[in-house]
């Protein structure tokens, strides 16, 4: 059976950054498996700018950002396979993939890094009544058709959901000459970054209707219009608030879901809130030697954070290959989000083996103003940081330093919550 020290599943921004970091950490036998026809992942279709401000201190487009990492992979002569679909990962790190040239291949990995990214929530998950006419696209599919395939998907557009891709596509279609009638959002707040609301909607006069949803799609062969209604606190349409918008295209931007079918098949412990694997501060999952990073772990708002997290996974996977450590040797403290904090990544932390500092990322469950992010070690306040505004569309983070645990090295529970 073939063997590689590290096998990385996914050749997008997370997989590329993980590979570069693992090579830097001294591991040369690395293989990236990518199902698409090119490296770079979703960034290849994100031709707008706004990437790289944290990582490279300059503003880049998606393809430019991806190319920086692709160049590093090529310079370091890291092996990769394109058009290669991974169909199975076993608990002892055997990876099975298929492609046209090699057929079915099974190989043994010293460590596996999961970097498969995420997918869009489809129409079938939204329970919208009506026929299934042409003209209904997920925002990401429309983005690929326009930016890579060169097709104009419609002329009169309604967008359901205010995720970042939907906001960006509202602007993109406007620039291509389409008329975007409205962006409707079920929740009372936007799911996208504030800067995207300003730059993609406000700058182009596109209305955003919060607490609204599509209740009917009109047309049989092609979309001819949609009916939008206001929703109450129970997220159900309010009778009498219906509005009709004529359109030939409906874009769906209703959330992203980590691509974790392989993770579940491998028997990884999964987090109910993130829909990604449960990980420690070293980003190792519940299966020994299997690490996860990027949008397969939890949906990020900035690709710079994906790269940062993936580089950490690459370094930790390299460390595991050099000096494997049994799961039972770890004595981890549990991390919990409470009182406004939906989840934390990581979900547990090993104080004895942690780096000098660990970044804990999380999202809140509503819009909050003038709150403090508070960290408790076994009920004792350890960190407090004031924040003027917190929103679900923007990921938050707090840094835990190893030195902070000097007075309580045997901490069992770390709670992160919001307080006045």
């Amino acid at each position: 059976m073939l063997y590689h020290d590290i096998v990385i599943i996914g050749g997008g921004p997370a997989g590329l950054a993980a590979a570069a970091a693992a090579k830097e950490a001294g591991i040369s036998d690395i293989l990236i498996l990518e199902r698409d026809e090119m490296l770079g992942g979703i960034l290849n279709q994100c031709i707008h700018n706004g990437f790289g401000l944290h990582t490279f201190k300059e503003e880049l487009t998606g393809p430019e950002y991806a190319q920086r990492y692709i160049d590093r992979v090529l310079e370091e002569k890291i092996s990769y396979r394109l058009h290669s679909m991974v169909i199975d990962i076993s608990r002892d790190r055997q990876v099975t993939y298929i492609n046209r040239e090699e057929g079915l291949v099974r190989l043994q990995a010293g460590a596996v890094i999961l970097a498969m990214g995420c997918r869009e929530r489809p129409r079938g998950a939204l329970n919208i009544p009506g026929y299934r006419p042409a003209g209904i696209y997920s925002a990401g599919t429309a983005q690929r058709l326009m930016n890579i395939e060169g097709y104009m998907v419609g002329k009169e557009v309604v967008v359901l959901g205010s995720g970042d891709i939907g906001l960006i596509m509202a602007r993109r279609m406007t620039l291509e000459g389409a008329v975007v009638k409205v962006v409707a959002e079920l929740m009372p707040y936007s799911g996208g970054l504030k800067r995207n609301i300003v730059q993609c909607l406000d700058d182009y006069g596109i209305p955003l209707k919060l607490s609204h949803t599509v209740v009917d799609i009109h047309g049989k062969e092609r979309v001819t219009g949609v009916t939008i209604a206001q929703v109450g606190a129970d997220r159900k349409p309010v009778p009498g608030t219906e509005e009709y918008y004529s359109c030939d295209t409906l874009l769906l931007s209703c959330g992203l879901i980590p691509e974790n079918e392989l993770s579940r098949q491998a028997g990884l412990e999964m987090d109910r809130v993130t829909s990604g694997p449960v990980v420690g501060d070293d980003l190792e999952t519940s299966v020994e030697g299997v690490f996860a990073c990027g949008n397969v772990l939890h949906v990020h708002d900035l690709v710079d954070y994906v790269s940062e997290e993936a580089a950490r996974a690459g370094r930790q996977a390299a460390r595991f290959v050099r000096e494997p450590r049994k799961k039972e040797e770890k004595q981890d403290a549990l991390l919990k989000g409470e009182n406004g904090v939906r989840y934390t990544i990581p979900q547990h932390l090993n104080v004895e083996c942690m780096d000098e500092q660990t970044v804990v990322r999380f999202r809140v469950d509503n819009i909050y103003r003038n709150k403090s992010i508070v960290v408790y070690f076994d009920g004792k306040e350890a960190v407090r940081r004031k924040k003027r505004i917190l929103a679900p569309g923007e990921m938050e983070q707090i840094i835990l330093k190893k030195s902070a645990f000097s007075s309580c090295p045997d901490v069992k529970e770390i709670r992160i919550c919001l307080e006045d």
Side-chain angles (χ1 to χ4, degrees):
M1 187 185 293
L2 292 169
Y3 174 86
H4 291 280
D5 282 337
I6 296 178
V7 174
I8 299 171
I9 303 172
L16 296 171
K23 186 66 186 281
E24 220 172 75
I27 302 296
S28 55
D29 184 14
I30 302 167
L31 176 65
I32 302 171
L33 296 172
E34 169 55 51
R35 68 183 178 185
D36 209 344
E37 61 189 19
M38 63 184 107
L39 295 173
I42 197 70
L43 290 182
N44 291 317
Q45 67 188 53
C46 299
I47 62 173
H48 53 280
N49 59 7
F51 301 93
L53 290 169
H54 294 267
T55 307
F56 299 110
K57 310 302 180 196
E58 59 181 303
E59 197 169 32
L60 305 170
T61 64
E64 287 172 335
Y65 185 97
Q67 195 62 47
R68 298 281 177 101
Y69 280 99
I70 292 169
D71 290 343
R72 284 180 67 182
V73 165
L74 297 177
E75 285 165 15
E76 298 286 357
K77 296 182 170 54
I78 296 170
S79 299
Y80 61 91
R81 300 271 191 283
L82 301 177
H83 298 290
S84 297
M85 171 72 79
V86 175
I87 57 174
D88 187 57
I89 309 166
S90 70
R91 292 182 69 85
D92 56 356
R93 302 187 295 282
Q94 285 186 20
V95 177
T96 306
Y97 69 93
I98 52 174
N99 63 32
R100 197 172 293 168
E101 291 75 30
E102 300 171 281
L104 186 138
V105 181
R106 180 173 287 119
L107 52 84
Q108 179 66 52
V112 175
I113 299 177
L114 306 177
M116 295 90 75
C118 59
R119 57 186 164 85
E120 295 177 281
R121 187 171 277 111
R123 177 189 171 173
L126 303 177
N127 298 321
I128 303 171
Y131 293 98
R132 293 185 173 273
I136 303 173
Y137 302 90
S138 68
T141 299
Q143 187 180 55
R144 182 180 178 90
L145 287 169
M146 291 186 70
N147 295 347
I148 293 183
E149 311 294 340
Y151 294 106
M152 183 66 175
V153 297
K155 289 292 186 184
E156 288 188 302
V157 186
V158 169
V159 182
L160 174 60
S162 60
D164 288 312
I165 307 173
L167 299 175
I168 286 160
M169 282 308 294
R171 174 179 65 184
R172 180 80 180 96
M173 297 201 71
T174 302
L175 292 172
E176 287 295 334
V179 176
V180 180
K181 300 286 187 74
V182 68
V183 175
E185 169 57 57
L186 177 71
M187 303 300 284
Y189 50 78
S190 169
L193 293 168
K194 178 67 176 176
R195 74 180 191 195
N196 283 335
I197 296 169
V198 173
Q199 294 172 6
C200 301
L201 300 188
D202 296 352
D203 288 357
Y204 294 89
I206 300 169
L208 170 62
K209 293 204 165 189
L210 300 175
S211 298
H212 279 73
T213 192
V214 171
V215 294
D216 201 4
I217 298 171
H218 306 277
K220 287 189 178 180
E221 300 300 319
R222 173 90 193 192
V223 174
T224 58
V226 297
T227 299
I228 289 175
Q230 190 175 342
V231 298
D234 58 359
R235 309 279 181 265
K236 292 181 179 177
V238 177
T241 62
E242 295 86 357
E243 290 178 87
Y244 174 79
Y245 288 88
S246 65
C247 63
D248 61 15
T249 305
L250 174 64
L251 296 189
L252 305 176
S253 179
C254 303
L256 300 168
I257 307 165
E259 190 76 79
N260 268 303
E261 281 68 21
L262 283 171
S263 310
R264 292 188 184 90
Q265 284 177 30
L268 272 57
E269 183 186 350
M270 307 297 288
D271 187 297
R272 186 181 55 80
V273 179
T274 65
S275 297
V278 171
V279 295
D281 57 296
D282 56 1
L283 299 179
E284 188 178 21
T285 68
S286 59
V287 172
E288 198 172 277
V290 177
F291 299 80
C293 59
N295 284 346
V296 80
L297 182 57
H298 61 132
V299 177
H300 291 62
D301 50 357
L302 298 178
V303 73
D304 303 74
Y305 295 153
V306 167
S307 301
E308 182 187 311
E309 188 176 88
R312 177 167 177 74
R315 290 191 296 269
Q316 293 295 336
R319 179 179 171 187
F320 177 85
V321 169
R322 288 195 306 267
E323 44 190 81
R325 191 158 49 100
K326 294 290 183 187
K327 280 276 179 196
E328 50 268 27
E329 292 176 18
K330 296 182 176 183
Q331 296 296 317
D332 288 358
L334 185 68
L335 270 121
K336 290 172 65 178
E338 292 181 356
N339 194 31
V341 176
R342 292 188 65 226
Y343 69 85
T344 68
I345 294 291
Q347 287 93 342
H348 51 91
L349 181 146
N350 185 284
V351 175
E352 185 183 344
C353 301
M354 70 182 283
D355 292 338
E356 288 309 307
Q357 61 180 40
T358 291
V359 178
V360 178
R361 294 199 165 99
F362 62 91
R363 286 185 190 267
V364 295
D365 61 6
N366 211 328
I367 292 179
Y368 295 95
R369 298 179 189 279
N370 300 316
K371 292 281 186 179
S372 291
I373 302 168
V374 188
V375 182
Y376 290 96
F377 296 166
D378 285 338
K380 182 182 176 183
E381 185 178 315
V383 180
R384 180 178 286 264
R385 198 185 86 205
K386 287 195 79 67
K387 198 82 195 287
R388 194 173 64 83
I389 188 162
L390 301 104
E394 308 204 12
M395 204 162 63
E396 299 293 336
Q397 67 178 42
I398 198 153
I399 294 172
L400 299 182
K401 296 185 178 179
K402 190 168 185 175
S403 57
F405 293 95
S406 56
S407 59
C408 48
D410 299 321
V411 62
K412 296 289 186 292
E413 184 182 83
I414 302 166
R415 288 192 300 117
I416 301 177
C417 59
L418 304 183
E419 294 181 1
D420 292 322

